[in-house]
Amino acid sequence: MLTLTDYTTLSATRIAEAVQAGELSAREVVDAALACVEERDGVVRAFRRTWPAQARERAAEIDAQIRRGVRLPLAGVPLGVKASEGLDAFQSTRLAAAGCVPIGATSVPHRGGGWQTYGHTDRGPTTNPLNPDWSPGGSSAGSAAAVAAGMVPLATGSDGAGSVRIPAAWCAIVGLKPTNGVLPARDRAGLNTPGPLARHAHDAAAYLRALTGHQELAPASPRSVGWSSTLGFADTSPAVAATARSALRRLVEAGLLAPTDIAVRLRDPAPAWSGLRDASHGASPAVTELISGNDRHLREIFARVDVLATPTTPHPPHGHEGPGPRMSVALTWAFNISGHPAITLPAGTTPAGEPVGLQLVTRHGGERLLLHLAVEAEKVFPPARSVGPR
């Protein structure tokens, strides 16, 4: 029998290997996942609803396939599904075909909540497993919280302004926004792209392989890296900036990245993002000029460096009252507009104990490079263990 403690230590790829080899059954893995939700979700409230009967039926089907010799790259892996996407979403169906077992719908913010960045359930707001007084970030709030709490090793997210990267950073896990267009957009403006939330970078890589069919990461280190704590406009907390830069320094010392001095002076993309989302007859001239100016500057940056590093968010997690005037998306949404792939890695904590993410951005089509760097980074600072109820 797979104990809850053992289950929460397993990565998605290790679960799949064990199920494929007959060391574990998909059914016992799903039972362990549902037991973990039962034990831990009363406080976290990551799930709006679970699907126990459906999940066990799907697990039985996978076990039958394995006995027939079918190979499934994510066999028996419990999956949290972002509630605003559901089971029929592109990534949900691809992951299920790869062997994942969806066990429930993860929370998203209440509709009409403006700049709320936390999850809503009929039992109350989703809490951050690291500290229940904090928001888990959003909008992929429940997905990040479920992964950080060990309830599932993988969960689906979507990122239109930072909605994968922000909750991943605040819950101290990995979150990837692929290049715009690699996966079907979730909105008409083309800003919102699907992406994984995972405790382990190699699980995020397996997730992307299941969606795109790409089989290999992109090695070759060190890669040149430039640093910016503000992108030229953000009001970034000094403690957050220092923590993220310290994490970057450790990656440089490990030989993964080679620092290059660059000046990053993007214009605040807020008017462009809002204009693209709201425009019914095309972007205004002012929005077009802002976007083209930032695009030119980003081309200049990526002509000099392979990777641009920033903090993922300018501030640490806020409480459940909301962010107030803070713009949690200030360092993420420029890359939803430009389309560049971006990943967030756990960077440690501020002196006050607040989690910080390190965001790495690269050229279009470079998500496999980011995942390679993320996998190697785990050798420098291993992923945190799942966080039980507090």
Side-chain angles (χ1 to χ4, degrees):
M1 178 181 175
L2 181 62
T3 68
L4 188 150
T5 300
D6 289 340
Y7 166 71
T8 59
T9 65
L10 296 176
S11 67
T13 52
R14 178 64 191 119
I15 288 171
E17 289 169 357
V19 170
Q20 194 71 57
E23 299 168 14
L24 292 171
S25 70
R27 172 62 188 266
E28 65 182 312
V29 174
V30 166
D31 282 344
L34 292 169
C36 191
V37 173
E38 180 70 22
E39 179 184 275
R40 299 187 175 186
D41 205 39
V43 173
V44 179
R45 298 187 286 272
F47 285 91
R48 285 190 169 182
R49 67 193 68 87
T50 56
W51 308 309
Q54 186 175 344
R56 290 184 172 111
E57 181 180 350
R58 175 59 183 149
E61 292 172 356
I62 289 170
D63 286 331
Q65 287 180 283
I66 298 299
R67 288 193 294 270
R68 294 196 302 269
V70 176
R71 295 201 60 80
L72 298 168
L74 291 171
V77 173
L79 178 72
V81 177
K82 187 174 180 178
S84 56
E85 294 196 355
L87 292 170
D88 294 331
F90 171 83
Q91 57 181 340
S92 300
T93 57
R94 286 288 180 95
L95 291 164
C100 284
V101 181
I103 68 163
T106 59
S107 68
V108 293
H110 197 287
R111 288 190 179 276
W115 290 111
Q116 291 181 10
T117 52
Y118 46 83
H120 168 79
T121 77
D122 58 9
R123 297 171 289 132
T126 303
T127 65
N128 191 317
L130 301 176
N131 185 327
D133 294 332
W134 294 336
S135 162
S139 63
S140 304
S143 287
V147 169
M151 291 182 262
V152 289
L154 279 178
T156 70
S158 53
D159 191 314
S163 290
V164 164
R165 289 163 287 162
I166 293 167
W170 286 356
C171 292
I173 60 172
V174 175
L176 171 71
K177 182 200 84 69
T179 303
N180 293 26
V182 166
L183 303 171
R186 297 286 302 164
D187 64 338
R188 288 184 296 176
L191 299 172
N192 195 348
T193 186
L197 294 114
R199 281 200 312 279
H200 298 273
H202 56 80
D203 288 347
Y207 183 116
L208 191 66
R209 282 196 297 272
L211 267 58
T212 66
H214 294 311
Q215 294 301 310
E216 296 180 0
L217 301 183
S221 295
R223 297 295 185 110
S224 57
V225 63
W227 162 260
S228 176
S229 64
T230 67
L231 293 179
F233 60 85
D235 179 22
T236 303
S237 156
V240 168
T243 302
R245 188 154 197 179
S246 177
L248 176 62
R249 189 176 303 115
R250 292 176 66 187
L251 298 183
V252 168
E253 291 169 352
L256 291 174
L257 294 165
T260 300
D261 288 333
I262 58 170
V264 180
R265 291 185 292 269
L266 295 178
R267 291 171 57 190
D268 187 343
W273 191 90
S274 299
L276 289 174
R277 285 294 297 265
D278 298 339
S280 56
H281 302 291
S284 69
V287 164
T288 300
E289 192 278 327
L290 193 163
I291 293 171
S292 62
N294 278 355
D295 283 348
R296 282 194 300 272
H297 189 41
L298 287 168
R299 283 195 296 272
E300 293 168 358
I301 289 169
F302 289 116
R304 296 194 58 201
V305 296
D306 298 312
V307 177
L308 172 63
T310 78
T312 306
T313 64
H315 303 287
H318 56 70
H320 297 287
E321 73 284 354
R326 291 179 171 181
M327 293 297 289
S328 304
V329 298
L331 296 170
T332 52
W333 59 354
F335 307 112
N336 295 87
I337 297 171
S338 70
H340 290 86
I343 197 168
T344 180
L345 310 178
T349 60
T350 67
E354 302 151 324
V356 173
L358 174 66
Q359 178 176 233
L360 303 178
V361 188
T362 192
R363 302 179 184 101
H364 294 110
E367 41 278 301
R368 285 180 287 169
L369 168 60
L370 296 181
L371 286 164
H372 164 73
L373 292 171
V375 168
E376 294 300 311
E378 287 189 3
K379 300 173 185 176
V380 180
F381 26 85
R385 303 176 76 175
S386 64
V387 182
R390 291 171 177 249

